[in-house]
Amino acid sequence: MPDFRMIVRQHGGPERIEREEIAPTEPGAGEVLVRQTAIGLNFIDTYHRTGLYPVDLPSGLGTEAAGVVEAIGDGVEDLKVGDRVAYAGGPPGSYATVRTLPAGLLVLLPDDIDDRTAAAAMLKGMTAAYLIGPCAKIEAGQDVLVHAAAGGVGSILVQWLKAIGAIVIAHAGSEGKASIARELGAHHALSCPMEELPKQVRSITGGKGVEVVLDGVGKASWDASVGSIAVRGLFVTYGNASGPVPPIDALSFSRAGSIFVTRPTLAHYTRDATERRRLAGNLFGQIERGAVTIPIGQTFALADAADAHRAIESRSTTGSTLLLP
Ligand SMILES: NC(=O)c1ccc[n+]([C@@H]2O[C@H](COP(=O)([O-])OP(=O)(O)OC[C@H]3O[C@@H](n4cnc5c(N)ncnc54)[C@H](OP(=O)(O)O)[C@@H]3O)[C@@H](O)[C@H]2O)c1
C-alpha cells in the first residue's frame, strides 16, 4: 500500500480531513525517518483542524506517535536503524504512515513498553507528568480536583495522583465515566452538573475546597473550578475541550481566596531534549512499576481519522484513542 498522511487544506469540521499519498523523505542532517506503527489522537488535533490554534494550511495533523527508525541522517549518534521510538510535540503531522523528524524529538522506547502503549501515553502522560510535577508541584495529602477524569489525560492524572498520595476528586460527564475514574483509583468520583460541583467538593473537603484544580475542559467548567478551590489554592486551566475559557476577571481570583492561576502548555515544559527525556523517563517509570496503566478505549484506522475526531468531540471516547496505519 502506498504511504499516506491525513491533512487539512481548509479549517472546519472533521469532513475537512483528507488523505494524501506521500513518498518517504530522506532524513537530512540531525533527522530520522520513522515508520509509524501507532498514532495517538489528542484533543489538540481538533484545535489545529478548526483553526482554534493557528497552523499554516495545508497542514498535517497530530503530534504523537510511535514507530521504528528506518533511516538516519548525518550527525545522529544516539539512534540507529531498527530502534523503537516515540515522540510527542513538534509541528502537526503525525497522522502519517511514515515521517521524517528531528532526532531530538524522539525518545527511545524501553523493551517493556509496546508501541501502542507508547503512542497512547506520550503526549497525555508527559502532560500528566509536568502538571503534577514542575507545574503544580502536587504533594501527598493534597486534595486535587480532576475534570474529564475518564479521558485521555484525565485517566492518567487520576492514577498518578493516587500513586503519589494525593486525594483525588474526579469529575466526569456521566455516571459511567465516573465509575471508570473510581476504578482507576479516584477517592471520590462525581458526575453532577457543573453548577453543583463546588458544593459537592466543599462537602467532601470539610468546606475548605481543593488545593489544586486540574481543568482541561475549559469554558464549561471555569466557574465550577474557581468555586472549588481552597484559599491560596492553584487553578491549572490546561485545555479547551468545551471551548476557550472566558476573558480573565482578575478580581474574581481575589474573591475566590487569593487563588493562583496558570495556563500551561507542554511545549514550555519540554523546551529541549533533556527536559523531554526527563518527563518521558518519569512517565515510563510510573508505567513500568505498575502505578499507571494506559487505557486504550478505542482504535481507528488512520484513514478514518475524521471518525476519530467526531468521537472525541462528541465526548464518546474514554481513555486514549489510537489511529493505526
Ligand atoms: N496544556 C497542555 O499541555 C495540554 C496537553 C495535552 C492535553 N491538553 C488538553 O487536555 C484536555 C484533554 O485532552 P485529551 O486529549 O485527553 O481529551 P479527552 O479528555 O480524552 O477528551 C475530552 C473530554 O473533555 C470533556 N468535555 C467536557 N465538555 C466537553 C465538550 N463540550 N466537548 C468535548 N469534550 C468535553 C469530555 O469528558 P467528560 O464527558 O467526562 O466531561 C471529553 O471526553 C484537552 O482540553 C486538551 O486540549 C492540554
Side-chain angles (χ1 to χ4, degrees):
M1 195 171 53
D3 285 306
F4 68 96
R5 63 180 188 149
M6 305 304 287
I7 61 165
V8 282
R9 294 182 198 279
Q10 281 182 287
H11 291 307
E15 72 285 353
R16 294 284 187 204
I17 303 175
E18 295 176 31
R19 176 183 171 136
E20 180 185 61
E21 289 193 7
I22 52 170
T25 320
E26 277 299 305
E31 290 184 334
V32 173
L33 177 69
V34 178
R35 170 72 46 193
Q36 303 201 130
T37 50
I39 297 150
L41 177 83
N42 289 284
F43 218 93
I44 193 174
D45 307 348
T46 70
Y47 310 149
H48 291 142
R49 192 202 73 224
T50 61
L52 176 66
Y53 289 180
V55 289
D56 291 334
L57 297 174
S59 174
L61 290 172
T63 53
E64 176 180 45
V68 180
V69 173
E70 201 163 86
I72 55 172
D74 289 343
V76 177
E77 285 168 3
D78 49 356
L79 292 170
K80 59 182 187 318
V81 171
D83 279 345
R84 293 172 54 249
V85 292
Y87 62 92
S94 70
Y95 289 11
T97 55
V98 70
R99 195 175 183 203
T100 300
L101 293 150
L105 204 54
L106 298 170
V107 174
L108 196 59
L109 288 179
D111 288 344
D112 50 2
I113 299 203
D114 62 81
D115 292 16
R116 290 191 181 200
T117 300
M122 285 292 289
L123 196 145
K124 299 162 200 72
M126 286 166 70
T127 299
Y130 90 74
L131 289 176
I132 293 170
C135 176
K137 303 181 182 69
I138 294 171
E139 294 171 3
Q142 288 189 318
D143 291 306
V144 182
L145 172 61
V146 178
H147 285 284
V153 177
S155 61
I156 300 173
L157 284 172
V158 167
Q159 298 175 78
W160 198 318
L161 287 165
K162 169 133 196 225
I164 64 166
I167 312 302
V168 184
I169 304 176
H171 184 267
S174 67
E175 186 41 42
K177 288 185 180 180
S179 308
I180 292 174
R182 208 170 286 120
E183 280 161 23
L184 291 170
H187 300 83
H188 309 272
L190 309 171
S191 60
C192 56
M194 287 295 177
E195 305 76 66
E196 290 173 23
L197 188 56
K199 198 169 155 213
Q200 295 219 16
V201 167
R202 289 194 185 271
S203 155
I204 290 167
T205 56
K208 165 181 72 72
V210 292
E211 275 81 21
V212 183
V213 174
L214 299 175
D215 183 348
V217 168
K219 186 177 176 184
S221 52
W222 180 264
D223 290 338
S225 290
V226 172
S228 299
I229 301 179
V231 170
R232 302 202 310 250
L234 173 64
F235 179 14
V236 184
T237 169
Y238 69 93
N240 336 275
S242 64
V245 300
I248 299 287
D249 168 12
L251 261 185
S252 70
F253 302 147
S254 169
R255 284 192 295 270
S258 301
I259 64 171
F260 295 82
V261 180
T262 182
R263 197 338 180 158
T265 187
L266 177 63
H268 295 142
Y269 286 85
T270 49
R271 286 169 301 181
D272 54 34
T274 307
E275 283 190 341
R276 189 171 298 119
R277 286 172 185 168
R278 187 181 305 135
L279 280 188
N282 291 348
L283 169 65
F284 295 156
Q286 295 289 358
I287 296 172
E288 284 167 337
R289 75 178 67 97
V292 170
T293 56
I294 308 296
I296 298 172
Q298 48 284 308
T299 63
F300 293 82
L302 173 57
D304 296 333
D307 289 338
H309 277 224
R310 288 185 190 99
I312 199 167
E313 288 180 302
S314 64
R315 302 171 76 168
S316 58
T317 62
T318 59
S320 291
T321 304
L322 290 182
L323 303 177
L324 300 175

